[in-house]
Amino acid sequence: MAVCRTLVRTSISSLQHSLINIRNRLGVSHTSPNLGLTSFLFQIRGLGFDSKNASSCSSTTRSYGSSISAISPETTDFFDKTGKDTVGELLRNRNGVARFMKMERKAENDDPSRWFPYIDMFKSGSLCLTSNEVMEALDGMIMDVRKERIRNVVQNRSYSVCLVVEGLSDFGNVSAIFRSADALGFQSVHVVSCDNSKRYKDNRHVSMGAEKWLDIEVWNSTKECFSVLKSRGYRIATTHLSNDAVSIYDMDWSCPTAIIVGNENTGISEEALELSDLHCSVPMKGMVDSFNVSVASGILMHHAVCDRTNRLGAHGDLSASERQILLAEFSLRHSQTAISVAHEYAKRKQALLSPRL
């Protein structure tokens, strides 16, 4: 085993030296000692990401919050250029997260009986592409195995149950919650009150890049968050030990539900308790009376999936048109190059539509 580890380390070291030699011969710039292999190859191939194009496809930031699709370790170009590679940085920078949005988001007052955030439109300058056109544009750049993986993930996604993280002070817990939400098929996660004055350590290794595939909305206050969630048709269920708390095993999770988990030390805020529709709890069988917040979130989400599967036959409940739109959204999130390819496709479309003199 020791010999194998030595051989692996030797091979990696040899590969690094080879890449450095190739980079020097080609004259490729290298300002970061941690430049990822993917990013380096993109530079060689001339596939650098144009941040100006990224901002052009962003929707207008709404006052009630912002959506974010952060970048996973698979795509290192963005972080090599900005240096902001932590979940904490992405969540605290409310003015920056809007630029990560891909497909256009619909207005809040559209169809409150069933919440799905996107409309079938990707903006590229003055032109718009449909989800079908986005998929056509990106068809050749995503491997078939990857396409199948994305399709399976989208098939099992749902917005009917979402998680709200209120006032957590440790982004390690937030990152772990993101990872569990992605793994269990929850597409929507909300984060309330990220304090810009706090210092957070890098916890992207905890989330394993799960934030890239989630719709994460950041809110300034609990009241603001709950108001919008109720307008979307969710009932608000706060996790709280009280005399009127309902066991999560007695709840009907087929109803649109927002699960609220609170601060590691103080729990759910009084404001959240007053504004919620019901209190729920996980039955405890031991001497301690609480779980770690990320563990509790995982238990809640796992039981919700099991209950929904028993009642509905599956957790994923998106319609065919919604799956197609989310498929396009995920394909655009696949890599920063995907955005550039979609913009180039839109330019070609515009050229075909323009009258010839």
Side-chain angles (χ1 to χ4, degrees), residues 318-334:
L318 300 182
S319 67
S321 59
E322 290 169 345
R323 288 197 300 271
Q324 178 66 14
I325 295 172
L326 191 59
L327 194 62
E329 174 74 15
F330 274 26
S331 297
L332 288 166
R333 296 184 189 189
H334 176 261

Side-chain angles (χ1 to χ4, degrees), residues 179-230:
R179 187 174 179 180
S180 296
D182 172 67
L184 292 168
F186 290 75
Q187 187 59 29
S188 179
V189 179
H190 302 258
V191 180
V192 179
S193 298
C194 291
D195 188 347
N196 287 338
S197 66
K198 295 176 181 175
R199 299 179 63 185
Y200 299 102
K201 58 186 178 180
D202 183 352
N203 284 295
R204 287 190 69 253
H205 65 284
V206 179
S207 68
M208 296 298 289
E211 66 274 8
K212 175 179 179 178
W213 306 106
L214 300 172
D215 291 353
I216 302 171
E217 294 182 70
V218 183
W219 303 91
N220 293 317
S221 70
T222 299
K223 182 178 180 180
E224 182 185 30
C225 175
F226 283 17
S227 175
V228 173
L229 287 175
K230 288 184 178 182

